[in-house]
Amino acid sequence: MTDTKVLIPADDLRTFAAALLEKGGLSPEHAGTTADVFVWAALRGVDSHGIARVPAYLELLAKGVANASPEITVESSTPAAAVLDADRAPGPVALTAAAQEAVTRARTTGIAAVGVRRTVHTGAIGYYVSKIAEQGLVGIGFVSGMPNMGYTGVKGPAVATSPLAIAVPADSHAPLLLDMATATIALGKIRQAKATGTPLPEGAAATADGTPTTDPDQAVMPLPLGGAKGSGMSLAFELLTSVLVGAPIFSAFHSDDPQGRKHRQNALLIALDPAAFGDPHAFTAAVDATLATLKQLPPANGAPGVFYPGERSAEVAVARTDKGVPVAPKVWRELTEAAAKFGITPPGAA
């Protein structure tokens, strides 16, 4: 089989993914929202969270892990905060709703936080904070999930590779978008290294008992970024998300209750309105000036340039919007097989 990637126009890919997800049980609206998150990630070159996720989501829906018809509710006792109970809705559905809820509230209160309880796989959280930034607000997001990463001083998996994302709007520059996990490398990178036999970086992964290893065949979990710093951040995010919304994951996972290992994720999205602190136009102008100042600093020897978080992925999105989104052969095969099962015609290559 050829290793050549298939190029598909972004709009066609979005329509195709939405059609598959709708056949998988989601409503047209929820299928479109979920497909949009996947294509956004694929456009920016984050292929691990892109269109490759569609088959996995179809499986989550088929097994009932994700709820295709969730009863999403919003509880609030104060104008600036709320908790959205996702009822096991796919993460893109729940967090898109939470992001808009946070923006709506922050327009009135200056800053608003929305906790998300009981969702299933949040996808690229950079998408949700970017949606907040598109409306002129600063977006901040935290996610906590199932423990799959080491914790400094602990034997075996202890905490989750919980991510953090921050998006800050600008005027003439693409928004700053910091989107990072608390792990040194992603689980997907370990699987990829295992498939290719490529040694892993020092201090990036560990065996089942927590022993660091560079052997991809022995590695089963990532190690925290910066050792105690990364593991400490993950634990803090569990407190800021799961514990805050009354749905602890960490303590339940490490208990004797088998339900504690049932897949779920929680999140916290924060929207901050610059207008509450002064002139919002002056703020975005100053963000531009800050980013421009960074860009003008002399690059280190051998460096390709000076970049701020999110800049290069925004450039990738422009190029892929123009030329099409590359889809790996294995992923395309899985998508076309699912399409055949559902009676959907796949889009043609660009």
Side-chain angles (χ1 to χ4, degrees):
M1 181 179 169
T2 178
D3 287 332
T4 304
K5 293 185 176 182
V6 181
L7 279 178
I8 305 295
D11 287 343
D12 291 348
L13 199 57
R14 188 179 291 106
T15 300
F16 181 41
L20 288 170
L21 291 162
E22 190 175 344
K23 288 290 187 180
L26 293 181
S27 69
E29 180 187 1
H30 288 176
T33 296
T34 305
D36 200 51
V37 175
F38 293 157
V39 173
W40 179 89
L43 278 170
R44 298 180 71 94
V46 190
D47 295 320
S48 60
H49 286 66
I51 208 68
R53 288 288 182 180
V54 172
Y57 271 54
L58 290 174
E59 187 175 350
L60 289 172
L61 289 164
K63 291 182 175 179
V65 176
N67 187 356
S69 303
E71 294 289 337
I72 296 174
T73 57
V74 177
E75 307 159 10
S76 178
S77 59
T78 182
V83 175
L84 183 150
D85 191 303
D87 190 26
R88 295 183 295 108
V93 174
L95 269 73
T96 296
Q100 188 54 55
E101 184 75 25
V103 168
T104 300
R105 289 171 180 268
R107 294 285 190 206
T108 300
T109 58
I111 184 170
V114 178
V116 178
R117 178 170 56 219
R118 295 196 306 149
T119 188
V120 178
H121 194 271
T122 53
I125 64 167
Y127 173 90
Y128 313 109
V129 295
S130 292
K131 282 295 181 184
I132 294 172
E134 282 177 9
Q135 299 187 60
L137 283 71
V138 174
I140 305 170
F142 307 93
V143 168
S144 189
M146 307 304 291
N148 58 359
M149 180 178 78
Y151 185 95
T152 303
V154 174
K155 182 178 181 179
V159 290
T161 57
S162 303
L164 155 73
I166 301 172
V168 183
D171 278 336
S172 59
H173 289 81
L176 178 141
L177 175 58
L178 175 68
D179 188 351
M180 55 171 279
T182 50
T184 302
I185 58 171
L187 270 171
K189 293 289 186 184
I190 295 177
R191 288 192 289 267
Q192 190 176 36
K194 197 183 299 284
T196 59
T198 307
L200 293 161
E202 291 278 353
T207 61
D209 67 358
T211 304
T213 182
T214 59
D215 184 349
D217 289 326
Q218 298 297 317
V220 298
M221 65 178 178
L223 288 172
L225 181 68
K229 295 178 182 178
S231 57
M233 287 173 67
S234 177
L235 188 62
F237 295 171
E238 163 73 3
L239 299 179
L240 289 173
T241 58
S242 306
V243 174
L244 189 66
V245 300
I249 293 177
F250 177 83
S251 56
F253 181 90
H254 293 291
S255 73
D256 295 329
D257 184 359
Q259 288 297 310
R261 302 210 167 199
K262 186 176 180 180
H263 174 77
R264 62 210 185 276
Q265 293 187 342
N266 300 307
L268 180 71
L269 293 181
I270 300 169
L272 188 156
D273 189 352
F277 296 81
D279 182 349
H281 302 295
F283 171 74
T284 50
V287 171
D288 264 348
T290 301
L291 300 179
T293 300
L294 175 74
K295 298 288 293 175
Q296 291 165 6
L297 295 178
N301 292 337
V306 179
F307 304 95
Y308 62 87
E311 179 183 3
R312 283 182 283 189
S313 61
E315 292 173 353
V316 171
V318 171
R320 290 190 172 189
T321 298
D322 181 49
K323 298 177 181 178
V325 178
V327 182
K330 179 178 180 293
V331 173
W332 186 245
R333 186 176 69 250
E334 291 174 346
L335 292 173
T336 53
E337 286 174 355
K341 185 176 78 171
F342 292 135
I344 296 171
T345 302

